[in-house]
Amino acid sequence: QVRLVECGGGSAQAGESLRLCCLASGDTYSIYSMAWFRQIPGKEREGVATIYIRDDTTTYIDSVEGRFTISQENAKNLYLQMDNLRPEDTAMYYCAATRIWRARPGDYGRDDFHWWGQGTQVTVSS
């Protein structure tokens, strides 16, 4: 089992930056990939960024490419640096991890991740 606890988040003005963190504990040796998802009320949870633990290969959705950076340390600490924030980035952000292997980080779907954090709110005002 793996336990994930998010930290960071909060409120920011458009154009500002926030940094999310996620602390993993338990059987972290079994993690192949970690990711950040986000969700707003009434909509499905969407993947924002994914990273392979072994070689730090990353993938991002188009709307955050060039603004967000995902990084990790030994499958124990996961980060999401969010720069040039926009109001549409407002959401609950979730850290996730999986022991499932996929050929590319972009091949992961939401159902591949079976360990989740409790979420942390990010609110961006214009």
Side-chain angles (χ1 to χ4, degrees):
Q1 283 292 334
V2 172
R3 182 169 181 254
L4 303 174
V5 179
E6 293 99 341
C7 48
S11 299
Q13 298 281 332
E16 293 183 342
S17 298
L18 286 173
R19 181 176 171 90
L20 305 182
C21 50
C22 174
L23 307 180
S25 60
D27 298 332
T28 58
Y29 63 87
S30 64
I31 296 175
Y32 265 111
S33 182
M34 300 183 78
W36 288 99
F37 285 74
R38 66 186 180 187
Q39 187 172 24
I40 60 176
K43 292 202 172 182
E44 289 192 357
R45 192 171 298 186
E46 69 168 350
V48 174
T50 305
I51 187 167
Y52 264 156
I53 298 306
R54 282 171 171 73
D55 63 8
D56 286 337
T57 303
T58 60
T59 187
Y60 300 89
I61 56 172
D62 289 344
S63 61
V64 307
E65 182 81 54
R67 300 188 299 119
F68 290 11
T69 303
I70 187 172
S71 60
Q72 62 88 21
E73 294 174 344
N74 300 318
K76 293 186 182 297
N77 299 324
L78 182 71
Y79 304 97
L80 186 67
Q81 177 67 37
M82 304 184 293
D83 297 322
N84 193 18
L85 283 162
R86 303 169 181 170
E88 54 263 39
D89 295 320
T90 295
M92 184 72 78
Y93 283 73
Y94 297 89
C95 169
T98 180
R99 60 173 179 257
I100 295 172
W101 179 85
R102 295 286 184 227
R104 297 169 298 185
D107 291 340
Y108 283 101
R110 184 183 59 195
D111 291 343
D112 288 329
F113 292 89
H114 36 268
W115 296 307
W116 293 86
Q118 80 286 355
T120 186
Q121 179 67 37
V122 170
T123 302
V124 184
S125 56
S126 57

